[in-house]
Short mmCIF file of all heavy atoms in Angstrom, two decimals:
data_model
loop_
_atom_site.label_atom_id
_atom_site.label_comp_id
_atom_site.label_asym_id
_atom_site.label_seq_id
_atom_site.Cartn_x
_atom_site.Cartn_y
_atom_site.Cartn_z
N TYR A 14 32.36 -9.47 -16.48
CA TYR A 14 30.99 -8.96 -16.46
C TYR A 14 31.01 -7.50 -16.01
O TYR A 14 30.52 -6.62 -16.71
CB TYR A 14 30.18 -9.82 -15.48
CG TYR A 14 28.70 -9.62 -15.56
CD1 TYR A 14 28.02 -9.80 -16.76
CD2 TYR A 14 27.96 -9.30 -14.42
CE1 TYR A 14 26.65 -9.65 -16.83
CE2 TYR A 14 26.59 -9.15 -14.48
CZ TYR A 14 25.94 -9.33 -15.69
OH TYR A 14 24.59 -9.17 -15.74
N SER A 28 39.51 24.87 -2.82
CA SER A 28 40.80 24.59 -3.45
C SER A 28 41.39 23.30 -2.90
O SER A 28 42.37 22.79 -3.41
CB SER A 28 41.75 25.76 -3.20
OG SER A 28 41.93 25.91 -1.80
N SER A 84 26.02 6.83 -15.02
CA SER A 84 24.83 7.39 -14.37
C SER A 84 24.03 6.24 -13.77
O SER A 84 24.17 5.10 -14.20
CB SER A 84 23.98 8.16 -15.39
OG SER A 84 23.53 7.27 -16.37
N PRO A 85 23.22 6.54 -12.74
CA PRO A 85 22.50 5.45 -12.10
C PRO A 85 21.42 4.84 -12.99
O PRO A 85 20.92 5.50 -13.90
CB PRO A 85 21.86 6.12 -10.87
CG PRO A 85 21.93 7.57 -11.11
CD PRO A 85 22.98 7.84 -12.11
N PRO A 100 7.94 6.34 2.94
CA PRO A 100 7.05 6.06 4.07
C PRO A 100 5.57 6.27 3.76
O PRO A 100 4.72 5.76 4.47
CB PRO A 100 7.52 7.02 5.16
CG PRO A 100 8.26 8.09 4.44
CD PRO A 100 8.83 7.47 3.20
N LEU A 102 4.06 5.25 1.08
CA LEU A 102 3.55 4.16 0.25
C LEU A 102 3.55 2.86 1.06
O LEU A 102 4.38 2.68 1.94
CB LEU A 102 4.44 3.97 -0.98
CG LEU A 102 4.54 5.15 -1.95
CD1 LEU A 102 5.47 4.79 -3.10
CD2 LEU A 102 3.17 5.52 -2.50
N VAL A 121 2.13 -6.18 -18.88
CA VAL A 121 0.80 -5.64 -18.62
C VAL A 121 0.57 -5.68 -17.11
O VAL A 121 1.34 -6.28 -16.36
CB VAL A 121 -0.31 -6.44 -19.36
CG1 VAL A 121 -0.10 -6.34 -20.86
CG2 VAL A 121 -0.34 -7.88 -18.90
N ALA A 141 2.70 -8.81 4.36
CA ALA A 141 2.68 -7.41 4.82
C ALA A 141 2.48 -6.44 3.66
O ALA A 141 2.81 -5.27 3.78
CB ALA A 141 3.99 -7.09 5.55
N ARG A 145 2.37 -0.05 5.83
CA ARG A 145 3.32 1.01 5.54
C ARG A 145 4.64 0.70 6.25
O ARG A 145 4.64 0.00 7.26
CB ARG A 145 2.78 2.36 6.02
CG ARG A 145 1.71 2.90 5.10
CD ARG A 145 1.02 4.08 5.72
NE ARG A 145 -0.27 4.29 5.09
CZ ARG A 145 -0.43 4.99 3.98
NH1 ARG A 145 0.58 5.59 3.42
NH2 ARG A 145 -1.63 5.13 3.44
N SER A 150 8.87 -4.09 11.14
CA SER A 150 10.14 -4.01 11.88
C SER A 150 11.29 -3.68 10.94
O SER A 150 11.16 -3.72 9.71
CB SER A 150 10.41 -5.33 12.57
OG SER A 150 10.74 -6.30 11.60
N LYS A 154 11.65 -4.21 6.90
CA LYS A 154 11.89 -3.11 5.97
C LYS A 154 13.03 -3.46 5.03
O LYS A 154 12.97 -3.21 3.83
CB LYS A 154 12.23 -1.83 6.73
CG LYS A 154 11.03 -1.15 7.33
CD LYS A 154 11.47 0.13 8.02
CE LYS A 154 10.75 0.23 9.33
NZ LYS A 154 11.10 1.33 10.15
N ARG A 161 12.48 -4.80 -3.45
CA ARG A 161 12.35 -3.70 -4.41
C ARG A 161 13.52 -3.72 -5.39
O ARG A 161 13.34 -3.56 -6.60
CB ARG A 161 12.30 -2.36 -3.68
CG ARG A 161 12.25 -1.18 -4.64
CD ARG A 161 12.07 0.13 -3.94
NE ARG A 161 13.23 0.43 -3.10
CZ ARG A 161 13.30 1.51 -2.33
NH1 ARG A 161 12.31 2.37 -2.30
NH2 ARG A 161 14.36 1.73 -1.60
N ASP A 180 19.71 -6.09 14.51
CA ASP A 180 20.25 -6.89 15.61
C ASP A 180 20.76 -8.23 15.07
O ASP A 180 20.44 -8.63 13.95
CB ASP A 180 19.18 -7.12 16.67
CG ASP A 180 18.04 -7.93 16.15
OD1 ASP A 180 17.12 -7.33 15.55
OD2 ASP A 180 18.05 -9.16 16.31
N THR A 201 24.34 -11.53 -9.63
CA THR A 201 25.64 -10.99 -9.26
C THR A 201 25.43 -9.98 -8.15
O THR A 201 24.58 -9.10 -8.28
CB THR A 201 26.27 -10.29 -10.48
OG1 THR A 201 26.12 -11.14 -11.61
CG2 THR A 201 27.72 -9.96 -10.24
N ASP A 208 31.56 -6.49 8.70
CA ASP A 208 31.42 -7.67 9.54
C ASP A 208 32.19 -8.83 8.87
O ASP A 208 31.83 -9.27 7.79
CB ASP A 208 29.93 -7.99 9.69
CG ASP A 208 29.69 -9.19 10.59
OD1 ASP A 208 30.58 -10.05 10.67
OD2 ASP A 208 28.61 -9.26 11.19
N THR A 223 42.44 -0.91 1.81
CA THR A 223 43.39 -0.28 2.72
C THR A 223 42.75 0.98 3.30
O THR A 223 41.70 1.41 2.85
CB THR A 223 44.68 0.12 1.98
OG1 THR A 223 44.33 1.10 0.99
CG2 THR A 223 45.31 -1.06 1.29
N ALA A 228 42.55 5.41 -0.52
CA ALA A 228 42.44 3.97 -0.27
C ALA A 228 42.43 3.21 -1.58
O ALA A 228 42.04 3.74 -2.62
CB ALA A 228 41.15 3.69 0.49
N LEU A 234 40.59 -11.97 -1.42
CA LEU A 234 40.64 -13.33 -0.89
C LEU A 234 39.50 -14.15 -1.48
O LEU A 234 38.34 -13.74 -1.44
CB LEU A 234 40.48 -13.28 0.64
CG LEU A 234 40.45 -14.62 1.34
CD1 LEU A 234 41.85 -15.20 1.47
CD2 LEU A 234 39.79 -14.49 2.71
N ARG A 242 25.88 -22.98 2.02
CA ARG A 242 26.65 -22.92 3.26
C ARG A 242 25.70 -22.82 4.44
O ARG A 242 24.70 -22.11 4.38
CB ARG A 242 27.54 -21.67 3.22
CG ARG A 242 28.53 -21.71 2.06
CD ARG A 242 29.23 -20.38 1.92
NE ARG A 242 30.21 -20.42 0.84
CZ ARG A 242 30.87 -19.35 0.41
NH1 ARG A 242 30.66 -18.17 0.97
NH2 ARG A 242 31.73 -19.45 -0.56
N LEU A 254 37.48 -20.91 8.96
CA LEU A 254 38.29 -20.26 10.00
C LEU A 254 39.55 -19.64 9.39
O LEU A 254 39.98 -18.56 9.80
CB LEU A 254 38.67 -21.28 11.08
CG LEU A 254 37.47 -21.78 11.90
CD1 LEU A 254 37.90 -22.88 12.85
CD2 LEU A 254 36.83 -20.62 12.66
N GLU A 266 46.02 -6.25 11.68
CA GLU A 266 47.47 -6.25 11.82
C GLU A 266 48.12 -5.35 10.80
O GLU A 266 48.81 -4.38 11.12
CB GLU A 266 48.03 -7.67 11.71
CG GLU A 266 47.92 -8.40 13.03
CD GLU A 266 48.50 -9.79 12.96
OE1 GLU A 266 49.16 -10.13 11.94
OE2 GLU A 266 48.27 -10.57 13.90
#
Side-chain angles (χ1 to χ4, degrees):
Chain A
Y14 193 57
S28 60
S84 63
L102 298 179
V121 298
R145 284 170 200 274
S150 71
K154 282 182 223 177
R161 177 175 64 183
D180 64 275
T201 314
D208 182 333
T223 63
L234 177 78
R242 299 171 178 173
L254 293 174
E266 278 181 11

